Amino acid sequence: MKITSSMSDINTATGVMRTYIHQPVGDKKYPTILFYSEIFQQTDPIASAARIMASHGYVVLVPEVFHELNPIGTVLGYDEAGRNKGNADKEKKDVQSYDSDNLAMIDFAKQQTWFDGNIGAMGFCIGGHLAFRAALQPEVKATACFYATDLNGKLIPNKPGQHSMDRLNEIKGELLMIWGRQDPYIPTKDRADIQAKLNAANITFTWHEFNALHAFMRDGDARYDAQTAMIGYQLALNLFSRNLSD
């Protein structure tokens, strides 16, 4: 499908959140995907990934995940300065603010003429965790998490009982969990622990591990694996086609 891109500034409980909207051209109604970036916000590779999903018949919303901490329109570089700033923002933002961000985006989607009533979530790296966090919302029917960081750690500030893995009973939709086996940020032990907790919670999910590094979905990165990335997109599209259709 041909797509168009725009933006909207959405009011949240913690301030205005610039949100980029990628959607098919035309006046039909489509499912919505809440699409979460890495710590760098909407870089060119993230925008490209969002447009790929939109071209398959979805309205894709890409929020500035650290909107409280940066001027509107901030994009961090894929360099040491960008990583340091992004990681500092990640540690500074309270995890519950992501919940209010999700509520604001869901409310925004519900008011749009293009919304067909179905919502999913997807994200890479910290965005994979934020997509997982979005799955706590009852409206989210399917979630694709790519190499989600911090699910088994404590780098994101939390109040007692607010860590994402403490709230698995709130997840009602289907999860797709995708990992790189050579990812140094999410070692084998952590992945096994996460999988065991999902199994114990009796959540509907699929689990895929590829021989790939962290950020293997990021076009232009030295770790990018184009063939495996295509499989990742197909798995996500399969998830959404099965769960986000009336």
Side-chain angles (χ1 to χ4, degrees), residues 34-45:
L34 311 181
F35 194 104
Y36 300 89
S37 69
E38 310 150 310
I39 57 173
F40 309 98
Q41 304 206 121
Q42 189 184 253
T43 58
D44 288 343

Side-chain angles (χ1 to χ4, degrees), residues 65-79:
V65 295
F66 301 134
H67 61 90
E68 305 95 333
L69 305 173
N70 297 284
I72 288 177
T74 294
V75 178
L76 302 177
Y78 287 125
D79 53 24

Side-chain angles (χ1 to χ4, degrees), residues 24-25 148:
V25 172

Side-chain angles (χ1 to χ4, degrees), residues 132-241:
F132 191 96
R133 191 79 185 183
L136 301 177
Q137 302 300 324
E139 294 91 344
V140 176
K141 298 180 178 180
T143 302
C145 304
F146 289 80
Y147 38 88
T149 54
D150 302 319
L151 276 178
N152 212 34
K154 297 181 179 178
L155 295 180
I156 298 178
N158 293 279
K159 294 181 180 179
Q162 283 299 312
H163 193 282
S164 302
M165 297 299 288
D166 294 335
R167 298 173 59 185
L168 296 180
N169 64 311
E170 298 177 45
I171 297 177
K172 306 305 179 186
E174 182 177 343
L175 297 179
L176 167 65
M177 309 297 291
I178 294 180
W179 313 92
R181 289 185 56 82
Q182 287 75 47
D183 187 336
Y185 303 109
I186 315 155
T188 301
K189 181 180 181 300
D190 285 356
R191 297 195 307 273
D193 186 49
I194 294 166
Q195 187 177 28
K197 289 178 180 177
L198 294 180
N199 279 321
N202 198 30
I203 290 173
T204 301
F205 73 97
T206 55
W207 185 278
H208 300 270
E209 295 189 11
F210 295 100
N211 286 310
L213 293 164
H214 190 74
F216 70 84
M217 297 288 294
R218 187 196 297 164
D219 192 359
D221 191 281
R223 297 164 292 185
Y224 177 56
D225 184 331
Q227 190 173 48
T228 305
M230 290 182 67
I231 297 172
Y233 285 121
Q234 289 297 328
L235 288 170
L237 289 166
N238 173 268
L239 171 79
F240 294 136
S241 68

